Amino acid sequence: GGERKRLNIAVQLISLPRLILLDEPTTGLDSSTSLDLIVMLREVAKTGCTVITTIHQPSSTIFNLFDKLLVLADGNTFYRGKASEVIRAFESFGFKSPPLYNPGDFVLELAKSRSAVKAVLSKNLYKNRASSRVRTKTESKCGIAKADHVSESDEKLTQVEVVVDNKISSNESTSIGNMNSKASVKEWSPSAKFETSWMTQCKAIYQRALIVKQSSIFDFLTLLQIMATAVLLSLVYFQLKEDEDTIQDRMGLVFFISAFWVYFSLIGAAATFPEERAVLLRERAQGSYYLSAYFCAKQAAEIPLNLVSPSLFIILVYWMTNLHSSVGNFFQYWIFVLLTVEISASLGMLISAAEKDPKRALTWVTILVLLAQFLAGFFIDLDNIPPWLRWLNWLSFMKYTFGAQVITAFDESARFSCAASDSEFSVCNEGGSYITGRDVLAARAIPYIPVAYSLVLVLGTITSKILTYFVLFYRYKPYSPKSNPSSSVDEKEAEKQEEDVGREKGGTSPEQPSTGTGPVGSLKMQEKLQLTTSSLGSTAHIRSERDFIRSNTNTDFCLDLKRRHGSISSILHTSMGTDGVISPDKQITLAYKDVEVRVSQNHILKGISGEAKPGQLLSIMGPSGSGKTTLLNSIAGRQALSHGHVTLNGKDQLNAMKRSIAYVMQDEVFFGVMTVRQIMYFAATIRLPDSMTVADKHKRADTIMSLLGIDKCADSIVGTFDRRGISGGERKRLNIAVQLITFPSLILLDEPTSGLDSSTSLDLVITLRELAKRGCTVITTIHQPSSAVFKLFHKLQVLADGHVFYDGEGARAAEWFQNMGFKCPRNYNPGDFVLELAKNENAVAVVLREQRQREEEGDGEEARQENKNAKSLHESSCLENAGKGASMADTREGTDSLTLYRQSVQSVTGMADGREGLPSTVELVNVRGKKGDAVDNSEGRDRKVDMKERDAGFGSAKDKWSGTFETGWVTQFQALSKRAWIIKQSEAFDQLNFFMIIITALFMGMIWFQLEKKEEAIRDRFGLVFFVGIFWSFFPMFQSATAFPSERAVLLRDRAQGMYRLSAYYVAKQIAEMPLNWLNPTIFVIIVYWMSNLNPEVGIFFQYWIVVILGVELSVSIGLFISAAEKSVKRSTTWLILIVLGSVLFAGYFIRIDNIPVWIRWLQWLSYFKYILGSQTTTVFDENIKFECADSNSVFPECTNGVQTQVSGTDVLSQRGVEDIMLAYILVVFVAFVFLRITTYFILYHRYKPVSSI
């Protein structure tokens, strides 16, 4: 992630821009990498660039690198000026930063406080104007202007004008690589639209498109799917005989090949532009290239690659099936298949360009393919389509793709021997011995016009590509805000205002060159670049910085902090009962000793030891790669240990304890269609005991939501890839809220503050500390704690390269390192300071060497026991030796705002009951603040008590922990059913799916409208039954194929925490989803059955509906079975495609079973679709339905012999080779459905076991 972030910035710096705008570039990076990035931006600014960046939570070092600072609060300018003066500015209002405190964190805390914001704005420091601007110039050190996010709400900055001195003097050098001044800032020519020519752009884009397309074309699973289909087709149609009985089989083979490549190419191309949309818009907005160059290069790169897979496919299938014996015919057929691929890909690209949403694009593609197949002339004779709808067949592109391939396979040179009797071709009935391909085409009403087919396919491809280009041109225009003349400000007035500010500050005016030593002193102002955004709210213009420097004391901010922090304690006290403490028999002490973890050849953890007691908040810190998450996973039982052991209450991890242990993973795993309230109520219902009423459980959930500040978004969905939901910070807090619902005894959190602003992070850590205060044991990894957050840690363990770098009290870390020779600056976050030391090889070497020396100096068991907490004990000895020299400056203020601030924090973070003898953070600061006072290290000595003795009181803990679930099976079933219903409901009532189903049903009803009961319409009826069967086999199967992979993370998390029984989950899921699985096919069957006049009897309708529903359930069962067995969605989809294609080939529609080679024919009994299609055809073609014989060339002996004028449905089945055993088909479908559901459960039980014993 960090490398992706830096690559994103590197791409923008490649052209050495004059103005660089960055939106939270350090988010997701560790402090050291963030520092390197900001240093690099500062160096870029020295070349004459103007750099403006928003920063989520800057470290102390990063904050000191800013030249200018802009802080926003509720849409107003809260501070604007030099970053170095921000502390002094707020001190004038009585808001004084505590020592060892990051100025950035301090300012954000102020900006979060309503009273502080009100106090600052009330001093008339800013005045509202109809329009105003903030003018940022490159200053003496660098041109970094920074706007801090104070919350998760959008910023409301009205208008910004950035004045850029774009030319640097010739004698000015840069500090980036070997770039000189001329290379770093070039002459700006506004008339030159692009830096490179059209041809150069084409070459570069061509190379990129080639790389991207190769990854998809040569993807292993894609090739496997294509080649497996080719092999399967070749075996099923192996060396077809050249006689009349195989004519329909050959037609089926040609249609199958055409439909396969149409759908495959359309689906592949439909996601093209939605996937590339962000890149295309960004590059177009930056004027990187012509759109025409992009489009032409993309086509040139993709067209040859699009032809690779179909060429291999055709070479294999054509010759193995004996489709035609002529070599020339093979090349003609190959060309038509390639044209099929190209027109399909072109139409897919057109849809993807017109529809930006991939899901909607896929819906339109599916509808297009279905309609094109209906009108292609294979499933229904075009002459049997109602005349008022028949004209649509000329718009079906598959009419031309299928027609072009059919006329190639059935040309004049093709010869087929006549059937011995009952031939459907008049040439045979008149005494002929063979049939030509032209005779076949004439019987199927397919004109032999290869040139026309070729022309239509070529023109269709070219037209689609041209339309795609123009759609791209208008649909993918880069965002360009229009100027607002009414908001412009007179330039002279603006410059005069800036000069006034400069004089009041005692500095230079904007037009006066800086006298600093930086490169700006030599900049010449030649041009101005204006960046304007539309007004979104009230504007504020700074009048003078003199107003900042006033003698004023304001205590409202401190009182606001006290109320804010105190409310957390009050909420927790109310929720957890009058005692406010977890009972002693439910408290957990976690200890880990000599933990080592090796993964392959990497030695990640190298003998880590530590412990966490009830009442303690233990934070694990360290730079990236130090092993924080690995250690947390190890002590949670989610990572196998190479050496060492982890104990709970002095014993091995008890499975019965897992329901009192919460593990908050870094990744949030939720069902995106559920609202925050639904998720919380579900967790409360299923995790809180049955002894609580539903109302009480919901009340607990509401309390937790209020505590973590997610009550305002309680009725918003979490969000999916196509539906916007709550913000990332709200998802993070929801992730924690779900785990806090039971107030667990042990809480493990992996970087819970990542993605949250510093103020929200502080509230969260205060909550965790309060939970610890009431008997919880809290262990968390922290990515980059703010100053306030760092002060809240009871214990701190810092890792460096797999070793313990520090292990002791968090409040004493800075002083401990000071006695080691590493002094933390005053206005500096100790957390940042410790991380910088842990990143420094020399500092790590010094600390580890000192640890080894102490271990060597130790004597016997006492010394080894002491070494468990080496750094904490070493801290105490260092403080004693320091004597009067160890003191903390600037902590002796009187009763001022800082004292009130300390009191407000102490009221929340102090250990009221004095348990474990742990003083609060503020108490520790005050104790050390008195000169000459040595720190009492008796607590450190007390830690030398043997672990077993300390935990003796928990010797019978196993008897006090319940191994049963908090709720009964029925309660779990009810809650899980409700959740499954909500999730499935969003899918069943999805507007796009519903629209596709209704449109497909209506078109099928119109195309097969009121079929006549004639022999000529029998094949059309079979086509309709087949299409209904395959549609409701393919559609639900692929929907269910993602069921368990998409739920896997939630299921594993819930099972690891012992939330519910797997049986309750599985049964609830099946029962809740089953009615919704029936809804759409029921509507579909009602429309199609009666519009097509499939069988007029009402009883047959209900029978047909039942067998369709049974087919749906069997298809869902297969999808669930594959999704449970295969955790990868992509692989499970590949397996399902192969299963569907193979099953369809052996169902007897595309090829008669008797014409399949004997040595592979037995696979028909494994074809699930054979039974689905058999049950549906035997239902429709019963003995009561009658069809009039054809006037001539009837295929039924009863008609040709003149015995009867009608044939029954059973006669039709016999002629088609379908056995009339409806009950047997239904029984097989039902048994297979039940068997697969039961098998899926056992697969889930073994494949989805939680990875933790906790």
Side-chain angles (χ1 to χ4, degrees):
E3 292 169 335
R4 289 172 61 93
K5 178 78 68 173
R6 284 174 281 169
L7 175 61
N8 189 29
I9 297 171
V11 169
Q12 303 303 321
L13 296 181
I14 200 75
S15 62
L16 301 175
R18 290 160 179 75
L19 173 63
I20 305 174
L21 306 173
L22 304 98
D23 187 17
E24 298 190 7
T26 60
T27 300
L29 305 181
D30 62 83
S31 58
S32 181
T33 307
S34 300
L35 176 61
D36 293 341
L37 175 60
I38 299 299
V39 169
M40 183 269 293
L41 293 176
R42 185 181 174 97
E43 291 296 306
V44 170
K46 288 183 180 180
T47 67
C49 295
T50 298
V51 183
I52 303 177
T53 177
T54 61
I55 293 289
H56 187 70
Q57 185 178 330
S59 65
S60 306
T61 309
I62 289 177
F63 188 88
N64 292 331
L65 291 175
F66 298 140
D67 289 319
K68 300 188 73 175
L69 180 67
L70 175 65
V71 183
L72 302 179
D74 194 26
N76 294 294
T77 302
F78 187 59
Y79 175 79
R80 173 182 172 264
K82 292 183 178 180
S84 59
E85 298 179 358
V86 65
I87 297 297
R88 182 167 60 92
F90 283 108
E91 281 181 356
S92 65
F93 283 90
F95 305 129
K96 190 169 183 178
S97 175
L100 299 179
Y101 211 91
N102 182 357
D105 298 336
F106 175 68
V107 172
L108 282 179
E109 283 296 319
L110 289 176
K112 185 79 173 181
S113 169
R114 294 182 179 179
S115 58
V117 172
K118 181 179 180 181
V120 172
L121 298 182
S122 66
K123 301 302 180 182
N124 203 25
L125 185 63
Y126 312 100
K127 65 177 182 179
N128 292 331
R129 297 171 56 88
S131 61
S132 62
R133 62 185 178 178
V134 179
R135 308 181 69 225
T136 306
K137 295 186 65 177
T138 310
E139 298 204 353
S140 58
K141 291 185 179 179
C142 74
I144 299 180
K146 172 230 170 209
D148 262 322
H149 287 302
V150 298
S151 67
E152 294 172 322
S153 61
D154 294 333
E155 297 178 10
K156 300 176 182 179
L157 184 59
T158 57
Q159 195 178 57
V160 182
E161 179 184 29
V162 184
V163 182
V164 182
D165 297 310
N166 74 297
K167 188 173 181 180
I168 196 168
S169 62
S170 60
N171 60 354
E172 187 64 47
S173 61
T174 70
S175 57
I176 301 179
N178 296 323
M179 295 187 300
N180 54 35
S181 60
K182 294 182 180 179
S184 60
V185 184
K186 298 180 291 186
E187 291 290 341
W188 184 21
S189 177
S191 61
K193 186 175 182 180
F194 296 102
E195 296 287 343
T196 54
S197 65
W198 191 89
M199 188 58 67
T200 302
Q201 296 172 12
C202 276
K203 291 179 180 178
I205 299 172
Y206 173 83
Q207 293 175 352
R208 183 180 70 176
L210 203 63
I211 295 171
V212 174
K213 189 65 177 179
Q214 281 178 346
S215 63
S216 61
I217 291 295
F218 298 111
D219 176 70
F220 172 75
L221 290 177
T222 303
L223 288 176
L224 173 65
Q225 178 182 326
I226 292 172
M227 298 314 297
T229 304
V231 171
L232 191 60
L233 275 174
S234 301
L235 295 178
V236 173
Y237 290 90
F238 185 73
Q239 294 298 304
L240 287 170
K241 297 178 180 180
E242 295 179 342
D243 56 28
E244 183 180 342
D245 290 339
T246 64
I247 288 177
Q248 185 61 32
D249 300 340
R250 290 174 184 271
M251 283 279 186
L253 174 60
V254 172
F255 183 84
F256 195 98
I257 294 173
S258 177
F260 177 81
W261 283 108
V262 163
Y263 193 76
F264 192 85
S265 303
L266 266 168
I267 291 296
T272 299
F273 295 117
E275 289 178 352
E276 299 183 9
R277 180 173 181 265
V279 176
L280 181 58
L281 287 176
R282 183 196 69 194
E283 293 175 345
R284 286 205 69 195
Q286 296 168 349
S288 299
Y289 46 71
Y290 294 95
L291 179 63
S292 58
Y294 162 81
F295 189 75
C296 292
K298 183 175 178 64
Q299 301 307 308
E302 293 186 354
I303 288 177
L305 292 176
N306 285 336
L307 309 182
V308 174
S309 297
S311 297
L312 296 175
F313 186 95
I314 293 304
I315 291 173
L316 183 62
V317 173
Y318 188 90
W319 296 112
M320 288 189 68
T321 59
N322 189 29
L323 194 57
H324 201 290
S325 58
S326 171
V327 176
N329 188 275
F330 162 76
F331 285 106
Q332 182 179 338
Y333 187 79
W334 172 66
I335 290 173
F336 279 133
V337 171
L338 297 186
L339 285 175
T340 298
V341 171
E342 276 306 310
I343 191 172
S344 303
S346 300
L347 289 172
M349 293 182 69
L350 178 59
I351 292 174
S352 70
E355 183 54 75
K356 298 177 182 179
D357 184 356
K359 188 175 181 180
R360 284 198 292 265
L362 182 60
T363 300
W364 287 114
V365 165
T366 304
I367 292 174
L368 176 64
V369 171
L370 292 176
L371 297 183
Q373 287 181 354
F374 297 159
L375 300 169
F378 179 77
F379 292 109
I380 182 173
D381 286 336
L382 297 180
D383 293 337
N384 292 335
I385 298 176
W388 47 273
L389 199 63
R390 195 177 302 162
W391 61 273
L392 285 177
N393 78 92
W394 300 105
L395 300 180
S396 169
F397 73 99
M398 279 197 69
K399 170 186 172 66
Y400 305 101
T401 61
F402 175 58
Q405 295 177 36
V406 164
I407 63 174
T408 305
F410 294 91
D411 65 349
E412 186 64 35
S413 62
R415 297 286 191 271
F416 306 97
S417 58
C418 291
S421 61
D422 302 323
S423 174
E424 63 175 307
F425 296 96
S426 57
V427 64
C428 294
N429 295 328
E430 294 172 359
S433 60
Y434 66 88
I435 309 161
T436 66
R438 293 288 184 90
D439 296 329
V440 175
L441 296 178
R444 296 290 191 272
I446 300 175
Y448 185 80
I449 45 176
V451 175
Y453 285 126
S454 303
L455 188 61
V456 170
L457 293 177
V458 171
L459 290 178
T461 301
I462 295 174
T463 303
S464 298
K465 292 186 182 296
I466 294 174
L467 288 175
T468 301
Y469 173 78
F470 284 106
V471 171
L472 277 179
F473 185 82
Y474 289 101
R475 289 280 285 170
Y476 281 71
K477 282 186 176 181
Y479 173 74
S480 179
K482 298 180 180 180
S483 59
N484 185 0
S486 63
S487 64
S488 62
V489 180
D490 183 76
E491 186 67 26
K492 293 183 179 180
E493 179 185 353
E495 292 181 0
K496 185 177 183 299
Q497 292 172 353
E498 192 71 18
E499 292 174 6
D500 293 340
V501 172
R503 283 193 295 269
E504 290 172 348
K505 293 163 60 176
T508 60
S509 68
E511 296 180 355
Q512 293 175 332
S514 172
T515 58
T517 58
V520 180
S522 57
L523 292 177
K524 298 179 180 179
M525 184 173 180
Q526 290 189 350
E527 299 164 351
K528 294 182 180 180
L529 178 65
Q530 291 187 344
L531 174 69
T532 307
T533 59
S534 59
S535 179
L536 296 176
S538 62
T539 61
H541 183 74
I542 187 166
R543 293 178 58 193
S544 171
E545 200 161 322
R546 288 182 306 183
D547 295 333
F548 250 26
I549 315 300
R550 292 186 177 185
S551 297
N552 199 332
T553 301
N554 192 300
T555 60
D556 289 341
F557 169 60
C558 307
L559 297 176
D560 187 28
L561 277 177
K562 186 173 182 178
R563 286 192 298 268
R564 169 182 161 196
H565 296 169
S567 63
I568 296 175
S569 178
S570 175
I571 291 174
L572 282 173
H573 181 79
T574 302
S575 302
M576 297 182 68
T578 56
D579 57 348
V581 178
I582 294 178
S583 59
D585 60 332
K586 292 294 185 180
Q587 294 178 356
I588 294 177
T589 296
L590 185 144
Y592 46 98
K593 181 179 180 181
D594 300 330
V595 172
E596 293 188 16
V597 173
R598 293 178 183 269
V599 179
S600 298
Q601 301 299 322
N602 299 325
H603 197 178
I604 301 177
L605 298 181
K606 306 169 184 177
I608 307 297
S609 298
E611 67 172 327
K613 300 179 182 179
Q616 288 184 343
L617 170 59
L618 168 62
S619 173
I620 302 173
M621 293 177 55
S624 295
S626 60
K628 302 186 299 296
T629 301
T630 303
L631 176 59
L632 195 67
N633 287 334
S634 298
I635 62 181
R638 298 176 180 238
Q639 173 67 53
L641 304 183
S642 302
H643 183 264
H645 63 274
V646 180
T647 60
L648 299 178
N649 291 343
K651 297 182 179 295
D652 292 336
Q653 298 174 355
L654 299 177
N655 189 58
M657 291 183 180
K658 65 182 180 181
R659 294 177 188 90
S660 295
I661 300 173
Y663 190 146
V664 181
M665 298 180 291
Q666 188 172 350
D667 298 327
E668 307 92 12
V669 285
F670 298 109
F671 294 109
V673 297
M674 296 182 69
T675 66
V676 172
R677 191 185 306 278
Q678 288 171 342
I679 291 173
M680 290 297 295
Y681 281 4
F682 167 80
T685 301
I686 212 161
R687 300 189 69 179
L688 297 176
D690 284 334
S691 57
M692 295 179 65
T693 64
V694 174
D696 290 338
K697 292 181 179 182
H698 289 179
K699 184 178 179 181
R700 170 75 66 86
D702 292 334
T703 299
I704 298 297
M705 286 191 290
S706 176
L707 178 67
L708 293 179
I710 54 175
D711 51 328
K712 295 180 180 179
C713 61
D715 296 315
S716 301
I717 65 170
V718 174
T720 62
F721 73 96
D722 60 339
R723 295 177 63 187
R724 187 173 181 179
I726 59 179
S727 67
E730 290 166 337
R731 286 173 64 96
K732 177 73 70 174
R733 282 176 280 163
L734 174 61
N735 192 28
I736 299 170
V738 168
Q739 302 303 323
L740 296 185
I741 200 77
T742 58
F743 294 118
S745 301
L746 173 61
I747 307 175
L748 307 173
L749 306 98
D750 188 13
E751 298 191 7
T753 60
S754 295
L756 305 181
D757 61 82
S758 59
S759 183
T760 307
S761 300
L762 177 60
D763 288 344
L764 172 61
V765 177
I766 289 174
T767 303
L768 296 176
R769 185 178 171 112
E770 281 294 310
L771 288 171
K773 182 178 176 181
R774 285 159 173 77
C776 291
T777 303
V778 184
I779 304 176
T780 177
T781 61
I782 294 289
H783 183 69
Q784 186 179 330
S786 65
S787 304
V789 167
F790 185 85
K791 289 179 180 294
L792 294 174
F793 299 148
H794 292 126
K795 290 189 64 178
L796 175 66
Q797 186 169 65
V798 184
L799 305 184
D801 192 26
H803 295 281
V804 176
F805 185 63
Y806 174 80
D807 188 9
E809 296 179 18
R812 298 184 180 182
E815 192 167 356
W816 186 84
F817 281 108
Q818 180 177 344
N819 285 277
M820 293 287 291
F822 307 108
K823 185 176 181 179
C824 180
R826 169 178 159 74
N827 289 325
Y828 208 93
N829 181 359
D832 298 336
F833 176 70
V834 170
L835 285 178
E836 286 298 323
L837 289 179
K839 189 82 172 180
N840 187 283
E841 295 181 359
N842 295 329
V844 173
V846 169
V847 173
L848 295 182
R849 183 172 61 249
E850 183 69 19
Q851 293 181 33
R852 286 193 297 269
Q853 290 176 356
R854 290 185 56 80
E855 184 176 359
E856 293 172 357
E857 293 172 358
D859 182 35
E861 181 64 24
E862 183 177 354
R864 285 191 295 272
Q865 183 68 26
E866 182 181 10
N867 191 56
K868 291 181 180 178
N869 300 290
K871 286 157 287 302
S872 183
L873 297 178
H874 181 59
E875 167 195 349
S876 301
S877 63
C878 288
L879 292 174
E880 290 176 345
N881 294 334
K884 296 182 179 181
S887 63
M888 296 297 293
D890 301 315
T891 60
R892 297 178 300 278
E893 288 77 16
T895 307
D896 56 5
S897 61
L898 178 58
T899 304
L900 291 173
Y901 172 78
R902 286 173 176 167
Q903 292 172 354
S904 67
V905 177
Q906 184 176 356
S907 67
V908 178
T909 61
M911 300 296 291
D913 57 0
R915 185 171 52 259
E916 305 295 345
L918 292 176
S920 69
T921 302
V922 179
E923 290 172 342
L924 289 171
V925 173
N926 289 337
V927 167
R928 297 196 307 271
K930 300 178 181 180
K931 284 190 175 183
D933 289 349
V935 179
D936 183 11
N937 66 347
S938 59
E939 181 186 347
R941 296 190 184 99
D942 290 341
R943 292 204 191 104
K944 294 186 289 185
V945 178
D946 185 84
M947 184 186 301
K948 293 183 179 180
E949 295 180 5
R950 184 190 60 241
D951 295 328
F954 297 98
S956 59
K958 189 169 185 177
D959 299 330
K960 301 175 183 178
W961 296 88
S962 173
T964 60
F965 292 90
E966 293 289 348
T967 52
W969 194 93
V970 174
T971 303
Q972 296 173 12
F973 171 79
Q974 292 174 345
L976 289 164
S977 298
K978 185 176 181 180
R979 185 180 73 173
W981 177 272
I982 293 171
I983 298 169
K984 187 65 179 180
Q985 186 177 262
S986 66
E987 179 184 292
F989 296 112
D990 180 75
Q991 293 181 355
L992 288 176
N993 288 339
F994 192 74
F995 172 75
M996 180 182 68
I997 290 168
I998 296 299
I999 290 295
T1000 303
L1002 289 175
F1003 266 95
M1004 288 182 68
M1006 288 187 293
I1007 291 173
W1008 276 272
F1009 186 74
Q1010 294 299 304
L1011 289 171
E1012 296 180 346
K1013 296 180 182 179
K1014 296 182 178 180
E1015 182 180 341
E1016 292 83 353
I1018 289 177
R1019 192 169 67 89
D1020 302 339
R1021 268 185 163 79
F1022 263 99
L1024 176 59
V1025 173
F1026 172 85
F1027 211 94
V1028 172
I1030 193 63
F1031 183 83
W1032 284 111
S1033 172
F1034 190 89
F1035 191 70
M1037 184 183 296
F1038 278 83
Q1039 280 190 327
S1040 61
T1042 60
F1044 296 120
S1046 62
E1047 298 182 14
R1048 179 173 181 266
V1050 177
L1051 181 58
L1052 287 177
R1053 181 198 66 189
D1054 294 349
R1055 289 203 66 195
Q1057 296 168 352
M1059 289 180 61
Y1060 45 75
R1061 296 171 178 84
L1062 181 63
S1063 59
Y1065 161 80
Y1066 188 73
V1067 174
K1069 180 177 176 66
Q1070 304 311 309
I1071 294 179
E1073 293 183 354
M1074 198 169 289
L1076 295 173
N1077 288 336
W1078 302 350
L1079 176 63
N1080 290 331
T1082 299
I1083 297 173
F1084 187 95
V1085 167
I1086 292 173
I1087 294 174
V1088 173
Y1089 189 93
W1090 295 113
M1091 286 187 69
S1092 64
N1093 190 31
L1094 200 55
N1095 193 316
E1097 293 188 20
V1098 177
I1100 297 298
F1101 162 75
F1102 284 106
Q1103 186 176 326
Y1104 180 73
W1105 171 73
I1106 291 173
V1107 295
V1108 169
I1109 294 300
L1110 276 176
V1112 168
E1113 286 300 327
L1114 176 57
S1115 301
V1116 170
S1117 300
I1118 296 173
L1120 292 174
F1121 175 82
I1122 296 296
S1123 68
E1126 181 55 74
K1127 297 178 182 179
S1128 168
V1129 175
K1130 190 173 183 180
R1131 284 197 295 268
S1132 63
T1133 302
T1134 300
W1135 285 115
L1136 284 178
I1137 289 175
L1138 296 178
I1139 290 172
V1140 170
L1141 294 180
S1143 187
V1144 168
L1145 288 176
F1146 285 98
Y1149 183 81
F1150 285 104
I1151 182 173
R1152 291 177 64 94
I1153 299 298
D1154 294 339
N1155 292 336
I1156 298 176
V1158 177
W1159 46 272
I1160 200 176
R1161 193 179 301 167
W1162 60 271
L1163 288 175
Q1164 64 169 307
W1165 305 111
L1166 301 180
S1167 168
Y1168 79 94
F1169 192 67
K1170 172 185 175 67
Y1171 304 102
I1172 291 178
L1173 184 62
S1175 64
Q1176 295 178 17
T1177 53
T1178 53
T1179 300
V1180 172
F1181 293 93
D1182 67 341
E1183 60 182 7
N1184 296 321
I1185 189 170
K1186 307 294 182 180
F1187 301 94
E1188 296 181 4
C1189 294
D1191 296 334
S1192 62
N1193 301 323
S1194 175
V1195 296
F1196 296 97
E1198 298 86 347
C1199 296
T1200 57
N1201 296 334
V1203 176
Q1204 56 190 45
T1205 59
Q1206 291 182 331
V1207 292
S1208 65
T1210 54
D1211 296 330
V1212 173
L1213 295 176
S1214 177
Q1215 192 276 332
R1216 299 283 297 190
V1218 180
E1219 297 181 82
D1220 188 14
I1221 47 175
M1222 181 184 64
L1223 292 178
Y1225 287 132
I1226 293 176
L1227 182 62
V1228 171
V1229 171
F1230 180 77
V1231 170
F1233 148 64
V1234 175
F1235 173 78
L1236 286 173
R1237 294 293 173 100
I1238 296 174
T1239 306
T1240 301
Y1241 172 79
F1242 287 105
I1243 292 176
L1244 277 180
Y1245 184 82
H1246 292 283
R1247 291 277 284 172
Y1248 282 68
K1249 281 186 176 181
V1251 297
S1252 174
S1253 60
I1254 290 182

